[in-house]
Amino acid sequence: YEAVCRELVGLNPANAHAWYSLGFGLWNKGDPAGAAAAYRESVLRNPKHADAHNELGAILRDKKDLVGAEAYY
């Protein structure tokens, strides 16, 4: 899954959903830092991507970064 998402991001780096999907795959793989980076890229490309905001907020909350989390919720 991760490899396919990375390929999609490589083919179209402006695709917010591809970045979101990569974040989802990295989170499920146990890589919250990588997931957060991918979700940030998703939000940068589509500031209205609610799921990316929510997932990034959850990761920051889990890291006890409540101020950062609040910015994405």
Side-chain angles (χ1 to χ4, degrees):
Y1 184 85
E2 179 188 347
V4 170
C5 292
R6 287 190 185 282
E7 183 176 348
L8 290 173
V9 165
L11 291 171
N12 186 1
N15 185 327
H17 191 71
W19 283 104
Y20 173 80
S21 296
L22 177 59
F24 181 79
L26 291 170
W27 174 257
N28 285 320
K29 181 179 143 183
D31 181 3
Y39 290 141
R40 278 191 180 93
E41 292 293 334
S42 179
V43 168
L44 284 173
R45 281 146 178 81
N46 179 1
K48 295 181 180 182
H49 198 301
D51 290 332
H53 276 271
N54 189 56
E55 297 298 336
L56 182 52
I59 290 171
L60 294 172
R61 181 199 64 221
D62 290 348
K63 290 176 56 177
K64 307 294 187 238
D65 179 0
L66 301 182
V67 173
E70 185 177 28
Y72 289 99
Y73 279 134

